[in-house]
Structures are given as C-alpha cells and as structure tokens.
Amino acid sequence: ALREHRTLGHAGGPRRVDEGGGRGRIGAGGAALRQRSDGGRFEVIAMRIEAGNREVPAWTQPLIKPCAQGLLAFLVREFDGVPHLLVQARVESGNFDVVELAPTVQILPGDAEGLGPNAIPHFRDVVLSAPPADILHDTLQSEEGGRFYNDQNRNLIVRAPADFPSDLPDHFRWITPWQLKSLVRHSNILNVQCRCLLTCYGGAGLLPPLPIA
C-alpha cells in the first residue's frame, strides 16, 4: 500500500517556478511546472513514493495535477420509444486515428472562461442546468493514479429537455446505446471517456434489453 508521498525537496507542498510566459521546469529541487500562468488546466509536480508491494521500494516521478475537475456527460433522448445517446466526433492530437467518438460534453469546466460565447462547448449549459429529475446518473470517477494526482471527472447522464433543438452541429449524432456498445469491439472508434461513461450507463441499469423487431 502507498505509505507516503511528498514533493521532492519541499515536504510542505509543491513549489512553483515560473519562467517567462508561465513556463517552468521540474528540477532536482522539486519544483512544479504550471502550464498556464493564470492557473488553468494543470501542474506537473515531482513526487517521491514509497511502497512495499512494487518492483522497487521507492522512486521519484512527475505527476500531472489538474487545476479543475473534468466534466463528461451524455445527453439521452428517446426516438419512437428507443433511447439514444448524443455523441460527438472529436479530434484530439494524441488519437491514433485522429478522430474518435466522444461523449456529448467532454471538458474542463474552466476551459472556455474568458474566451467569449463562441468558445463554450456545445451543450455544456444544457447539462449543467438540468433539473434533478432529469439527471439519470451523477458520479465522480478518478483518473489513472500512476500519472495523474487526485484527478477526477464528474460523470453525468442527463435526459435532454423537451425543447432540445433537432438541428445539431455536423459533428454530433444520436446513436442507440446498443450501437455504441457494439463499437467497443473495434479499435480506435470510442475514446476512453466515452467508454467510461458508457460503462456508467450500463452500470446504472439504464441499458434495457436489446429490442427485437
């Protein structure tokens, strides 16, 4: 079990080094790198870890420490009595095939602040303003702890309101949960956030038996 963690050279907490434009470095003294000088997105902190059940008893490594909680959400709507989830085709620089299917909303909530209304991710406000009766699932799930420090995403599954627009941006589509589940068998189609949220959908008992025509 993990017995101790602390930043290198500074037991009271991470120190920050800002070097022009918010850039920094991790050095032998154990500083933290902040990606943006305004405090957004993440820090990279140096950690010393001691554990009795790993390949070595102690090591040092960088960890990514988020500066905000992430938000992942599906909007759900029925068409002719069949539930559908709203997904988006999302381009991310690290994707193997460039584009993968992602949840309706996948953001750090502070990402668009101060960038104007056009920068606000689609349907963010619909998800965050949903009344309690329309929230079908709401949990916090942690990210992988070997590289991320205390990183959590809020996972929401929300019923779309009655006045939800029928015209969608070109990269959004309604898809049944069974269709989405079938895509898990194929490589590089669903991103990891979509797979995680689909698991929440099934685990919450929201996935009914496959309808038979």
Side-chain angles (χ1 to χ4, degrees), residues 1 6 34 69 79 82 88 124 133 136 151 178 188 203:
R6 61 177 183 270
R34 183 172 286 280
Q69 188 181 93
F79 294 90
V82 179
Q88 60 169 308
R124 181 197 71 171
L136 306 177
D151 191 4
W178 303 282
N188 306 315

Side-chain angles (χ1 to χ4, degrees), residues 1 11 18 21 41 43 69 85 87 89 92 94 105 110-111 119 132 144 155 158 169 172-173 179 195 197 200 208:
D18 292 318
R41 297 191 68 84
E43 293 176 290
Q69 188 181 93
L85 306 174
V87 300
E92 293 183 307
V105 178
D111 273 0
E144 189 268 325
N155 290 261
V158 175
F172 282 84
R173 290 290 187 275
Q179 291 172 321
R195 298 195 303 269
L197 205 54
C200 292

Side-chain angles (χ1 to χ4, degrees), residues 151-201:
D151 191 4
Q152 287 185 318
N153 287 317
R154 185 184 181 192
N155 290 261
L156 280 170
I157 299 172
V158 175
R159 185 182 295 110
D163 60 352
F164 191 78
S166 57
D167 293 333
L168 299 172
D170 289 341
H171 58 294
F172 282 84
R173 290 290 187 275
W174 291 105
I175 185 171
T176 72
W178 303 282
Q179 291 172 321
L180 205 57
K181 185 178 178 181
S182 71
L183 294 175
V184 175
R185 299 185 304 223
H186 304 282
S187 302
N188 306 315
I189 294 180
L190 306 184
N191 73 3
V192 64
Q193 292 83 1
C194 190
R195 298 195 303 269
C196 178
L197 205 54
L198 182 61
T199 301
C200 292
Y201 186 86

Side-chain angles (χ1 to χ4, degrees), residues 17-47:
V17 175
D18 292 318
E19 299 178 358
R23 296 181 181 179
R25 60 184 176 83
I26 294 180
L33 163 64
R34 183 172 286 280
Q35 191 259 5
R36 276 189 348 201
S37 59
D38 63 1
R41 297 191 68 84
F42 67 87
E43 293 176 290
V44 178
I45 59 175
M47 304 290 290

Side-chain angles (χ1 to χ4, degrees), residues 2-80:
L2 184 66
R3 297 200 308 268
E4 180 183 3
H5 67 268
R6 61 177 183 270
T7 55
L8 293 175
H10 191 58
R15 287 186 295 136
R16 186 172 303 123
V17 175
D18 292 318
E19 299 178 358
R23 296 181 181 179
R25 60 184 176 83
I26 294 180
L33 163 64
R34 183 172 286 280
Q35 191 259 5
R36 276 189 348 201
S37 59
D38 63 1
R41 297 191 68 84
F42 67 87
E43 293 176 290
V44 178
I45 59 175
M47 304 290 290
R48 173 172 175 79
I49 300 138
E50 297 180 6
N53 59 350
R54 296 294 298 273
E55 296 84 354
V56 293
W59 68 93
T60 58
Q61 70 172 85
L63 288 177
I64 297 173
K65 179 182 178 182
C67 297
Q69 188 181 93
L71 174 65
L72 307 174
F74 275 143
L75 281 172
V76 183
R77 191 175 196 178
E78 288 192 359
F79 294 90
D80 297 325

Side-chain angles (χ1 to χ4, degrees), residues 71 73 75 104-114 116-117 119-130 156 164 172:
L71 174 65
L75 281 172
T104 315
V105 178
Q106 178 184 323
I107 58 169
L108 286 176
D111 273 0
E113 301 303 326
I120 296 176
H122 294 289
F123 312 123
R124 181 197 71 171
D125 293 343
V126 175
V127 167
L128 292 179
S129 63
L156 280 170
F164 191 78
F172 282 84

